[in-house]
Amino acid sequence: MSERAAPFYCPYCGDEDLRPSEEGHGAWECAACNRAFQLKFLGLLSRGVKQEERGGAEI
């Protein structure tokens, strides 16, 4: 089993100085803005991602 991915930057200030928090699984602390946040995977969408067709002029 592979390790879980870590966030690359803070969702509030954009800084990259993140550390795992002691609050639990998926919790992170940002040293730059002094905020704590938690990431959680909710699941896969049953409908998937669909791209809309764009009705542009043909060349």
Side-chain angles (χ1 to χ4, degrees), residues 10-58:
C10 174
Y12 298 101
C13 71
D15 199 86
E16 297 177 358
D17 191 6
L18 301 176
R19 298 180 179 127
S21 176
E22 295 179 4
E23 293 298 318
H25 181 73
W28 293 87
E29 297 174 355
C30 177
C33 68
N34 204 31
R35 288 187 171 112
F37 58 94
Q38 187 170 14
L39 301 176
K40 182 178 178 181
F41 177 70
L42 298 177
L44 298 173
L45 299 174
S46 61
R47 66 181 182 275
V49 178
K50 296 181 181 179
Q51 294 197 3
E52 296 179 18
E53 291 185 27
R54 298 182 182 185
E58 291 185 28

